[in-house]
Amino acid sequence: MTTQKLRHLIEPEDFSLDELNHLIALGEEIHAAPEKYSEACKGKILATLFYEPSTRTKFSFETAMLRLGGSIIGFSDANTSSVSKGESIADTIRVMSAYADVAVMRHPKEGAPKLASLYSSIPIINGGDGGHQHPTQTLTDLLTIQTFKGSIDNQVVAFCGDLKFGRTVHSLIRTLARYNIKKFILISPEELKLPELLKRTLVDVYQVELMEVKTIEEVVEEIDILYMTRIQKERFFNEADYARLKDSYIIDKAKIQKAKQDMIIMHPLPRVNEIAYEVDTDPRAVYFEQAKLGVYIRMALIMKLLEVA
Amino acid sequence: MTTQKLRHLIEPEDFSLDELNHLIALGEEIHAAPEKYSEACKGKILATLFYEPSTRTKFSFETAMLRLGGSIIGFSDANTSSVSKGESIADTIRVMSAYADVAVMRHPKEGAPKLASLYSSIPIINGGDGGHQHPTQTLTDLLTIQTFKGSIDNQVVAFCGDLKFGRTVHSLIRTLARYNIKKFILISPEELKLPELLKRTLVDVYQVELMEVKTIEEVVEEIDILYMTRIQKERFFNEADYARLKDSYIIDKAKIQKAKQDMIIMHPLPRVNEIAYEVDTDPRAVYFEQAKLGVYIRMALIMKLLEVA
Amino acid sequence: MTTQKLRHLIEPEDFSLDELNHLIALGEEIHAAPEKYSEACKGKILATLFYEPSTRTKFSFETAMLRLGGSIIGFSDANTSSVSKGESIADTIRVMSAYADVAVMRHPKEGAPKLASLYSSIPIINGGDGGHQHPTQTLTDLLTIQTFKGSIDNQVVAFCGDLKFGRTVHSLIRTLARYNIKKFILISPEELKLPELLKRTLVDVYQVELMEVKTIEEVVEEIDILYMTRIQKERFFNEADYARLKDSYIIDKAKIQKAKQDMIIMHPLPRVNEIAYEVDTDPRAVYFEQAKLGVYIRMALIMKLLEVA
């Protein structure tokens, strides 16, 4: 029994750079020999509290806990929970604390996982809160870069697509800024540019080199990491704008022909059509491996929060 | 292979006082050393058949089974089950008997778990049937009283709120009446008083001392156990009656100032606003511990029904 | 690490007769001593991808995997999955391949599991695709016949009810035709007769003896296996036709009085009213045992596909 302070993961900033690097290193070790960890969390229970649907994140966490020998309780739809009886998040989490050892929460409202962490007696992981944060996607992305590029430092990282609303992108950019990134390239239409405030923070606080362009073609040759994002219909005020823009930031074989041979193409998935299917067989396409690495980093995270790492 | 008769828990009366006390004692032992039971039900499967939503009861059962080393199948929504194809409860339970080792059923219709038990070849636990019974909540309440008061006998037990419709209250009162309760105090508005028939049974059959009042204040000093209940909107014919009554039976710090220092405040949860949040930090508030004890008593119950206790 | 080709089960024809017989034999061994297999798939994960509801098939697979010591991830409703974000089946299965070791898919569209298998890096089991195939029901039926009749060969097999739309029936008939069935008897109303093409295949390709009748009574004395099916309301163009036909192919005690003492009555379940409840206690009624055998054959199948058999 330690009296150590309970740790949560609400946003990537909750972890120091040292802690992030330890997590990534543990993720690599698990990747190399997952069977060594198959009983690391035996007897432990993860609660998956999904107030909005998310196959991918939910399954990734469930797989991570099962691969550690633990088990799962949870819901994937707030309508089949006590929420419909008017229970507060504070009460829900206090009761879940009586059942589980660690919980992941996805919620449509920004700040809900933070609120939960204030009342919880078990570690809370933010599984995505509105347009705000998605820190375990960021961890997944870091492990992917480390795995395929050997280092997070000294890379030219390009983000393409919806840079305005994508919480995945904001979370990752903020975190990469804490490393020694060589250059950020932002590829997006005028309407979906990275928010001004975030750009200012990057330049003023982190002194990163930033470059904004409108097309992939003009920068493709210098990119080390190409991070693609989905352009979501629901982000647009009208159908016409969506139709005009959605295809502009699609990559296909032709567009990446001049790219470096060791460039990697990442995507948080689900993909709709922003990456042509023909790209899937290109060795530079690592987005499905990225999904797999998401399991390993979540295994590392759960171990850390349960203090078995 | 024993030829012992299959046991179910449909209502608390299915167990003798001796059996209840054995269950409570086992619940206390599990509470004291849960890790001793972590493989008690290894290889066994619990089916959770929830024909209406209930986060709390479902998760409590799932946690109980997982903490015993067993596993879970089940549904939390009748629409994703064969029920939508017109299958009878009798057939559903016969098929579930082919899959699982024990089942818990929640159903909006009174008597559904009883019906299921008649066709089942595995033990059936009633997880709540309409306004009728909720026996594992009663078991949870008994273990909570035993844990915090050292004994179920010789207590002054007050029930506050909706005493007319609350199945939790009826189930617990009937069961406590089989013990040597010093006095029952019923605190409710005229519209939500305990049903006359139940009162008559308590007095005539069990010879308990009964007292009915309209406010907490007039009796708070003599209460050992204050059992709060939620006043449900859906129980009222019109919005105005609900609005007028819902706040009348709220407790806050002021209302319990004169209460005994070792009084305990219980609540089956979810709570809406019948207990002010400021009460949560009062050492007399045990409702979140009560939720945790619900796991231990369910572990004891599952062990008993599977004959591994 | 073997370089063996990945195996899937999309339709019964994917397995040779030898392979089917090995599976059935393994199913019998598991039935005889299930505890011997309780850790056969320890550490393995089954993904249950149910794009339409199915209690029975889903629970049967989940039970099978849990009884093998493995665990489960999955969904029972496409609305709580990424499908609602427009993800293709190809992408979903590639991501699920990153999480699970084997997957079962039920889908309303014919061919969906086949499509999934083309993109999957883990074995895919067809859990029912539209009106097309339901191969694990067929395996269940084969094990049931083997268990209760001692052999699949030399039986007189009668199918009763909806022989036009029932995928269960088509799948089983095609597979039985590969054995030495003595005679097929088809009992159905004119409107629900076995499709002409399938009949022609049976006679021309497999040289089976086929007999078509309108009532159970005229053939009941010579039947070894009576396979009953549900007449589904949704298959009819109008309510009147359904009402007129649905009761015509109901069996009760009277109808089977002249049947052989060792005839068996099978049904894929759920049953609505095509078998009177009074038949349930007849020793010839084996449909609930059939449901149980479905778990054992699925255990055998999962073991085979994961190459632990």
Side-chain angles (χ1 to χ4, degrees), chain A residues 10-54:
Chain A
I10 306 306
E11 50 181 30
E13 285 73 15
D14 291 340
F15 288 161
S16 70
L17 211 55
D18 248 22
E19 288 179 312
L20 288 177
N21 287 331
H22 274 113
L23 266 187
I24 294 166
L26 180 54
E28 287 185 285
E29 281 174 39
I30 297 172
H31 185 187
E35 64 287 355
K36 275 179 58 187
Y37 300 85
S38 68
E39 308 230 311
C41 292
K42 202 181 166 201
K44 302 291 185 184
I45 296 177
L46 168 72
T48 56
L49 312 176
F50 279 67
Y51 289 78
E52 63 175 13
S54 167

Side-chain angles (χ1 to χ4, degrees), chain A residues 267-304:
Chain A
H267 190 298
L269 303 178
R271 159 243 323 251
V272 179
N273 64 352
E274 54 279 2
I275 302 175
Y277 280 86
E278 63 180 21
V279 174
D280 294 355
T281 51
D282 190 297
R284 290 169 290 191
V286 304
Y287 28 90
F288 292 116
E289 283 91 344
Q290 189 182 351
K292 184 141 205 160
L293 291 166
V295 175
Y296 299 129
I297 198 71
R298 285 180 177 97
M299 289 170 76
L301 174 65
I302 291 170
M303 286 177 67
K304 180 182 170 58

Side-chain angles (χ1 to χ4, degrees), chain C residues 152-167:
Chain C
I152 298 172
D153 291 329
N154 298 312
Q155 309 290 344
V156 174
V157 188
F159 293 89
C160 177
D162 172 4
L163 310 187
K164 185 171 181 188
F165 299 103
R167 66 179 166 198

Side-chain angles (χ1 to χ4, degrees), chain A residues 39 55-56 67 271 277 280, chain C residues 81-82 87-88 91 95 99:
Chain A
E39 308 230 311
T55 314
R56 199 167 312 281
R67 297 273 185 217
R271 159 243 323 251
Y277 280 86
D280 294 355
Chain C
S81 87
S82 282
E87 187 177 62
S88 71
D91 276 18
V95 172
Y99 299 157

Side-chain angles (χ1 to χ4, degrees), chain B residues 83 148 165 185 192 246:
Chain B
V83 179
F148 285 98
F165 299 103
I185 304 178
L192 295 175
K246 81 172 161 48

